[in-house]
Amino acid sequence: MRQARARRFPARLGFSALAIFTALTGAACGTAPSPSDAKSAASTVRGTPGGGQADIRGPMRKLEAAYHGRIGAYAVDTGTGRTAGYRAYERFPSNSSFKAVLCAAILHKARTSDPGLLDRTLHWTKDDVVEGSPTTGTAANIRDGLSTAKLCRAAITLSDNTAANLLLGQVGGPRAVTRYYRSLGDPVGRLDRTEPTLNDWHPGQRRDTIMPAYMARDLRTVTLGRALVPADRARLTGWLRATTTGDKRIRAGLPKGWTAGDKTGTGGMYATAGDIAIAWPSPGAAPVILSVYTNRPSKSAKPNDAAIAHTATILIHALGTS
């Protein structure tokens, strides 16, 4: 167990940061988990014995009221086993955060059944390119193609949607990602569609959804557990650390001096947005795994990165010292 030391938080993300939100009142909204979902989740996702679970209901309810939406969150300190969660067993759309799990599935397949997969050059046409494809949409890459490994990097670091669709084709489509969730011990995560249609979500919909507690566990399993061999865990973690889309989300809510790797997801309606991250207080320290998802009741509402950052601050504060 690590020696305790105080964690310092940036003043700009203290609880006074609630003032940044335009809506100062409003009840938390969204879809509650079904009894079977909640019972299954609560009996499976836990920290290590003796770690304990922090109660963050007070600050999270205040944050939801200011945000005027629904926030689901979960974090675990892998050094102490202490956890913190809020709406952790409710369903939220995964949006592009599933790409971290998809690339883990690619690494697993390359290691176990298709040894040439990562170096194989994949090709596509201009007609295959969908919105949100900064790497695969360029003329040079359409002409020459890219290796599977480079497509994984694009899918994670830039959230390239066409790259994700090409990778889905290599593992067997969305259902194969659902099966991979199950192989990680996640009984609720699911992927039903490709990009960008998977972002077409409304409250109460189950397809293309996850639960924050399970997604945190999934991320922990593929970056720190035995789902992948050490070399593949390191490669996946390297892609996460190189992500360019998450600077204003979980990373912005971490104490000064921390480092992190993350994968964001953003939808086109109901302000759906999320982020999952592995974060280190210092080099060599046991990391913290975080998972945060949000949505609002209005179909035209816009995502709020600050709500995700502030949730990360609350989670880290609740975990105590490290």
Side-chain angles (χ1 to χ4, degrees):
M1 184 176 295
R2 300 193 299 265
Q3 294 295 316
R5 64 176 177 81
R7 288 178 176 169
R8 292 178 295 176
F9 296 88
R12 62 189 175 87
L13 286 169
F15 290 123
S16 61
L18 287 171
I20 66 175
F21 302 118
T22 58
L24 297 179
T25 59
C29 59
T31 304
S34 69
S36 59
D37 279 344
K39 183 177 180 180
S40 173
S43 66
T44 306
V45 179
R46 302 186 186 279
T48 57
Q53 181 168 349
D55 186 350
I56 59 172
R57 288 173 295 180
M60 286 305 303
R61 285 168 179 166
K62 291 179 181 178
L63 182 58
E64 278 190 325
Y67 169 63
H68 202 79
R70 185 173 66 120
I71 303 172
Y74 190 84
V76 57
D77 183 326
T78 64
T80 65
R82 188 167 176 80
T83 64
Y86 182 78
R87 298 192 189 275
Y89 306 114
E90 297 184 22
R91 286 188 179 271
F92 289 80
S94 65
N95 300 131
S96 287
S97 67
F98 86 92
K99 292 170 183 172
V101 177
L102 168 62
C103 288
I106 288 284
L107 289 166
H108 176 74
K109 181 177 181 180
R111 182 69 58 177
T112 60
S113 63
D114 192 353
L117 177 58
L118 290 174
D119 295 327
R120 186 175 305 140
T121 298
L122 303 184
H123 295 275
W124 61 96
T125 70
K126 185 177 180 180
D127 290 339
D128 295 321
V129 178
V130 299
E131 62 182 281
S133 301
T135 296
T136 54
T138 66
N141 287 332
I142 293 173
R143 180 188 67 240
D144 300 332
L146 287 170
S147 70
T148 303
K150 289 182 178 179
L151 288 169
C152 278
R153 184 177 180 85
I156 291 180
T157 64
L158 297 171
S159 206
D160 191 293
N161 285 337
T162 300
N165 287 345
L166 292 166
L167 295 169
L168 282 170
Q170 297 303 300
V171 297
R175 290 185 178 181
V177 175
T178 300
R179 290 193 296 271
Y180 192 66
Y181 278 128
R182 301 296 175 267
S183 76
L184 299 176
D186 180 341
V188 298
R190 55 186 288 178
L191 191 70
D192 299 86
R193 295 168 293 175
T194 59
E195 290 281 14
T197 56
L198 62 88
N199 297 308
D200 182 1
W201 177 88
H202 59 79
Q205 183 171 290
R206 296 174 66 86
R207 61 183 179 176
D208 304 302
T209 59
I210 52 78
M211 290 183 180
Y214 277 113
M215 197 58 154
R217 175 177 173 168
D218 297 338
L219 183 63
R220 180 178 184 176
T221 303
V222 297
T223 57
L224 301 172
R226 296 181 178 180
L228 301 175
V229 302
D232 293 340
R233 292 199 302 267
R235 193 167 199 175
L236 178 62
T237 300
W239 291 332
L240 293 168
R241 294 185 73 146
T243 292
T244 63
T245 60
D247 288 346
K248 295 181 179 180
R249 294 190 179 178
I250 286 177
R251 294 183 192 220
L254 297 175
K256 184 178 180 180
W258 283 47
T259 58
D262 72 301
K263 182 67 200 84
T264 58
T266 307
M269 54 188 70
Y270 297 101
T272 59
D275 197 11
I276 58 175
I278 176 172
W280 294 266
S282 60
V288 174
I289 304 292
L290 305 95
S291 173
V292 182
Y293 291 89
T294 63
N295 72 275
R296 283 171 160 168
S298 171
K299 186 175 183 179
S300 61
K302 302 299 182 183
N304 190 314
D305 290 343
I308 297 173
H310 196 93
T311 299
T313 300
I314 292 171
L315 289 168
I316 295 296
H317 181 71
L319 292 178
T321 57
S322 66

